[in-house]
Amino acid sequence: GKNEYDLLIIGGGSGGLACAKEAAKFGRKVAVLDYVEPSPQGTKWGLGGTCVNVGCIPKKLMHQAALLGSAIKDAQHYGWNIAQPVHHTWSVMAQAVQNYVKSLNWGHRVQLQDKKVKYFNMKGSFSDPHTIRGLTKAGKETIVTAENIVIATGGRPKYPVHIAGALEYGITSDDLFWLKESPGKTPLVYYPFILHLCEIIVYISLTGSSPDVSLECAGFLTGIGLETTVMMRSIPLRGFDQQMASLVTEHMESYGTKFLKRCFPTKVEKSESNRLQVTWKNTDLRTEVTDSFDTVMWAVGRAPDTETLNLETVGVKTNSETGKIIVDASEATSVPNIYAVGDITEGRPELTPTAIAAGKLLAQRLFGQSSELMDYDNVPTTVFTPLEYGCVGLSEEAAVQCYGSDNIEVYHAYYKPLEFTVAERDAAQCYMKMVCLRERDQRILGLHFIGPNAGEVIQGFALGIKCGATYPQLMKTIGIHPTCAEEITKLHITKGSGLDATVTGC
Amino acid sequence: MGWEEKQVCGYSEFVETAQRYHGRPIFALFCGDKDAEGRSWCPDCVTAEPVVRRELHNMPDESVFIYCLVGDRAYWKDPNNEFRKNLKLTGVPTLLKYGTPQKLVEEECFKAELVRMLFTED
């Protein structure tokens, strides 16, 4: 018989919802299946996917909470009379953030309903290439058929299951944002010695393409006053420009986050005082240490959510190493009418804007006679650590690998945001660099910026890079004064020259 | 037990009633005051009310439906009125599930499917 729907999307996150809403614009019969399997700790959430519920949105809001704490400290220098130290109440922040997220869940429900997209709160799996079996929480089954199917189920945080106690006692970002009570007890600052009164340890190991959430979480946890330790086996922010990654973590260290480098945990146990005892090994010193914490958070990468989809039945091919779905430039899988977008797809950035754009373009190609493919080049991004890092284009390493170090020029500068001066803030890690081709028009290959509001700074330059901006064009661009962004337009010291790259006053 | 309706006028009566039924699902429809002929100064409220009433049977058992007249047009237009300030209402009619971010505002209240979704959604 005829298929019930023109388009069925499994997964109501950034990619899935964007695709659904776009397809509905063409008057197509569209349905979305969304289901949140509770985390091992029992956390669950509503419609909207990772970004809305356990990613970008709550992360950025909590990052803002931490920044406000720093601003309050700075405020004294600017004349504000605020009794220090100022304390933070987790539950107030959490409730406000969670309420906002819930309003977004509702907003998506209303939008889908309004655009006549059918919504099923069910876990979907393939019966055949045009048939999905949906299962409700209560176990009720519904069969749905569709001409085209898009898989947009995203990913979930991994657990280091080989570490004893990891699953039982640890949390992930899925849980952190939904905690009603603080992950660490508030320090009693009027006592001279506070040891281990509020501690969270975040273990990050660097597989997967989004290792920044862990540092971002550690960053805001430190910022709101919790004793936070980051343990890592190897390098932070793998996949990002490594010079910039070091500056980011250096800043976090000076900001108060403790780092246990070249260490990995071996077990997590519960102590009599109901705290968590973590044992770890230091690979360099070959020592083994045990210490107590209130909360252990794992940030060891994200796994694609494909296990229960039954992909083998329909023959959708996945990457044997990552488990992600293999797609071509049109987001098509190995099966003709089945597509995939977002974090679930192999080789794509794990970012909301790319999932949304890919989802929209897919709908336009399927139903709108468009042939435009998604352009994954020069996608700008920002890591929202206490000192933010924004970038667009190639890292220095990638540019060297692509073109050879003789063919690129790197311009760089250490600068000091004006706002830091009066506040007596250290700007040692406020740095920017631009990687350009040496020859002909000196096209800009990559731009990297560490500083306040890095995302806002880089966004506009992403347009320039998209248009093939060159170094001479940038030099002709007048800066806005006084800003941090203007320093980009003034970059002129090259790494190769060996000259001091510190910006002097205006 | 089914559901019951409470009709209130003004902010304090609303808050008092909502507090009295704390623990039960509470839905509230906020409309502009009605004149002697029973006509509201708010034309959208006139449109929305019958739509909402037709869907009331979808509310879960034990629900309380509070029908609240907010005041006259002048009171409503005041940007500092208590409904705007404390309940963060931005327009009338507003249909909301008390204590949650779930609400429908103005033309959204004309749509039976949206009203039904508000009453039945978790």
Side-chain angles (χ1 to χ4, degrees):
Chain A
K2 198 171 165 290
N3 288 309
E4 247 178 292
Y5 291 95
D6 296 310
L7 181 68
L8 175 67
I9 297 162
I10 313 176
S14 302
L17 292 178
C19 188
K21 292 173 191 174
E22 189 70 17
K25 279 191 193 157
F26 295 105
R28 293 300 177 149
K29 210 162 170 229
V30 185
V32 170
L33 260 74
D34 188 66
Y35 188 84
V36 180
E37 190 68 51
S39 75
Q41 296 295 337
T43 312
K44 53 184 164 60
W45 49 87
L47 180 64
T50 296
C51 170
V52 162
N53 294 287
V54 286
C56 329
I57 301 297
K59 179 262 304 271
K60 186 90 191 286
L61 288 171
M62 293 194 176
H63 168 63
Q64 175 65 0
L67 288 181
L68 287 170
S70 299
I72 291 172
K73 288 198 190 87
D74 290 352
Q76 293 176 107
H77 297 276
Y78 283 89
W80 288 99
N81 303 309
I82 302 172
Q84 304 276 341
V86 182
H87 298 286
H88 181 267
T89 304
W90 173 275
S91 54
V92 173
M93 173 186 72
Q95 183 162 74
V97 170
Q98 289 155 20
N99 275 342
Y100 178 65
V101 168
K102 287 180 185 162
S103 74
L104 292 180
N105 299 143
W106 175 249
H108 280 306
R109 292 287 287 111
V110 171
Q111 271 190 24
L112 285 187
Q113 182 74 265
D114 223 25
K115 294 184 195 300
K116 313 248 184 298
V117 173
K118 180 86 182 129
Y119 162 72
F120 295 99
N121 185 208
M122 296 184 198
K123 200 161 176 73
S125 61
F126 281 92
S127 299
D128 70 47
H130 291 278
T131 310
I132 295 292
R133 179 173 167 260
L135 220 56
T136 66
K137 189 170 83 173
K140 182 166 155 251
E141 186 184 287
T142 303
I143 306 291
V144 192
T145 58
E147 187 60 37
N148 299 286
I149 297 177
V150 178
I151 306 168
T153 50
R156 294 295 290 268
K158 285 191 213 172
Y159 269 81
V161 288
H162 57 283
I163 298 173
L167 200 60
E168 216 182 324
Y169 301 122
I171 65 167
T172 66
S173 55
D174 276 359
D175 310 295
L176 182 68
F177 298 116
W178 290 93
L179 291 177
K180 300 260 184 287
E181 295 303 324
S182 175
K185 303 190 227 337
T186 323
L188 303 164
V189 288
Y190 31 89
Y191 285 87
F193 302 106
I194 322 108
L195 290 172
H196 306 311
L197 265 184
C198 60
E199 294 207 63
I200 305 134
I201 184 158
V202 181
Y203 175 60
I204 61 179
S205 95
L206 283 314
T207 52
S209 353
S210 53
D212 38 313
V213 167
S214 47
L215 285 186
E216 291 167 326
C217 289
F220 72 69
L221 289 169
T222 304
I224 60 174
L226 302 174
E227 288 277 306
T228 310
T229 303
V230 174
M231 185 188 297
M232 51 192 185
R233 188 163 196 156
S234 69
I235 56 170
L237 294 176
R238 189 189 297 269
F240 286 85
D241 185 290
Q242 281 306 294
Q243 180 194 15
M244 306 308 280
S246 302
L247 288 168
V248 163
T249 52
E250 243 177 68
H251 177 266
M252 286 180 67
E253 268 179 295
S254 66
Y255 188 67
T257 305
K258 298 202 218 3
F259 279 82
L260 288 169
K261 297 176 186 171
R262 318 258 313 139
C263 294
F264 62 95
T266 52
K267 60 179 169 176
V268 182
E269 298 158 305
K270 205 109 202 229
S271 70
E272 308 93 44
S273 57
N274 226 31
R275 302 187 82 219
L276 295 173
Q277 220 154 248
V278 182
T279 305
W280 68 86
K281 286 206 171 93
N282 183 308
T283 56
D284 289 336
L285 306 175
R286 297 176 186 274
T287 50
E288 195 176 78
V289 183
T290 300
D291 204 351
S292 300
F293 300 89
D294 294 310
T295 301
V296 175
M297 181 176 131
W298 305 112
V300 298
R302 296 181 71 84
D305 204 342
T306 55
E307 227 176 78
T308 54
L309 282 173
N310 222 8
L311 295 179
E312 319 75 40
T313 305
V314 288
V316 170
K317 292 207 173 72
T318 57
N319 179 295
S320 53
E321 214 185 290
T322 64
K324 293 189 179 185
I325 297 177
I326 299 170
V327 290
D328 65 17
S330 66
E331 330 300 348
T333 67
S334 50
V335 180
N337 63 298
I338 303 176
Y339 303 85
V341 292
D343 287 6
I344 198 79
T345 51
E346 175 60 35
R348 310 294 199 212
E350 286 182 5
L351 296 170
T352 283
T354 51
I356 290 174
K360 278 196 179 142
L361 289 173
L362 175 60
Q364 286 168 7
R365 288 193 305 272
L366 285 174
F367 307 114
Q369 281 104 44
S370 163
S371 53
E372 192 187 338
L373 297 175
M374 174 66 189
D375 181 2
Y376 288 98
D377 281 336
N378 297 317
V379 172
T381 181
T382 295
V383 182
F384 294 101
T385 34
L387 196 61
E388 299 173 6
Y389 164 41
C391 60
V392 56
L394 300 178
S395 65
E396 192 175 335
E397 301 91 302
V400 166
Q401 191 169 62
C402 217
Y403 299 97
S405 49
D406 288 339
N407 296 315
I408 61 165
E409 192 77 82
V410 181
Y411 299 90
H412 68 155
Y414 283 93
Y415 69 98
K416 188 163 192 169
L418 180 63
E419 294 79 1
F420 281 29
T421 54
V422 166
E424 293 175 13
R425 280 231 239 160
D426 178 28
Q429 291 86 26
C430 291
Y431 175 79
M432 58 181 71
K433 72 178 173 184
M434 191 164 61
V435 183
C436 304
L437 278 175
R438 266 232 176 98
E439 52 159 22
R440 285 186 287 140
D441 53 4
Q442 300 169 268
R443 187 161 55 89
I444 303 170
L445 299 171
L447 181 61
H448 302 263
F449 174 91
I450 292 182
N453 307 302
E456 310 293 353
V457 169
I458 289 293
Q459 180 69 90
F461 286 100
L463 172 63
I465 305 257
K466 198 106 214 164
C467 297
T470 64
Y471 181 73
Q473 284 174 322
L474 182 65
M475 287 304 105
K476 290 210 179 75
T477 308
I478 306 289
I480 300 171
H481 186 70
T483 63
C484 299
E486 66 174 308
E487 299 304 333
I488 294 177
T489 67
K490 301 191 228 154
L491 282 168
H492 63 285
I493 305 278
T494 64
K495 271 197 179 179
S497 69
L499 294 169
D500 178 13
T502 310
V503 167
T504 50
C506 60
Chain B
M1 195 215 140
W3 56 273
E4 55 183 294
E5 176 169 343
K6 297 285 157 200
Q7 302 205 345
V8 302
C9 290
Y11 183 74
S12 6
E13 243 190 80
F14 171 76
V15 172
E16 195 200 291
T17 309
Q19 279 170 357
R20 203 185 323 147
Y21 291 100
H22 176 73
R24 289 166 62 176
I26 299 172
F27 297 93
L29 177 64
F30 299 91
C31 293
D33 279 4
K34 291 177 166 166
D35 61 19
E37 275 87 54
R39 254 219 128 74
S40 175
W41 56 258
C42 160
D44 286 351
C45 301
V46 174
T47 312
E49 195 180 326
V51 177
V52 172
R53 289 195 171 282
R54 269 195 295 272
E55 300 296 327
L56 289 177
H57 65 278
N58 289 304
M59 291 189 301
D61 279 344
E62 306 272 309
S63 292
V64 177
F65 173 66
I66 304 179
Y67 178 76
C68 178
L69 294 177
V70 299
D72 61 29
R73 183 185 244 122
Y75 168 80
W76 181 252
K77 292 298 181 193
D78 173 10
N80 290 316
N81 76 55
E82 289 145 310
F83 290 101
R84 290 187 195 270
K85 252 185 30 197
N86 306 333
L87 285 178
K88 311 280 183 266
L89 295 197
T90 53
V92 279
T94 290
L95 176 68
L96 55 76
K97 184 169 181 180
Y98 191 65
T100 76
Q102 292 167 359
K103 64 177 178 179
L104 296 172
V105 182
E106 294 161 354
E107 316 81 52
E108 291 176 340
C109 300
F110 301 171
K111 301 175 179 166
E113 321 82 52
L114 290 183
V115 174
R116 201 174 312 138
M117 191 173 80
L118 182 79
F119 287 152
T120 54
E121 200 67 0
D122 224 344

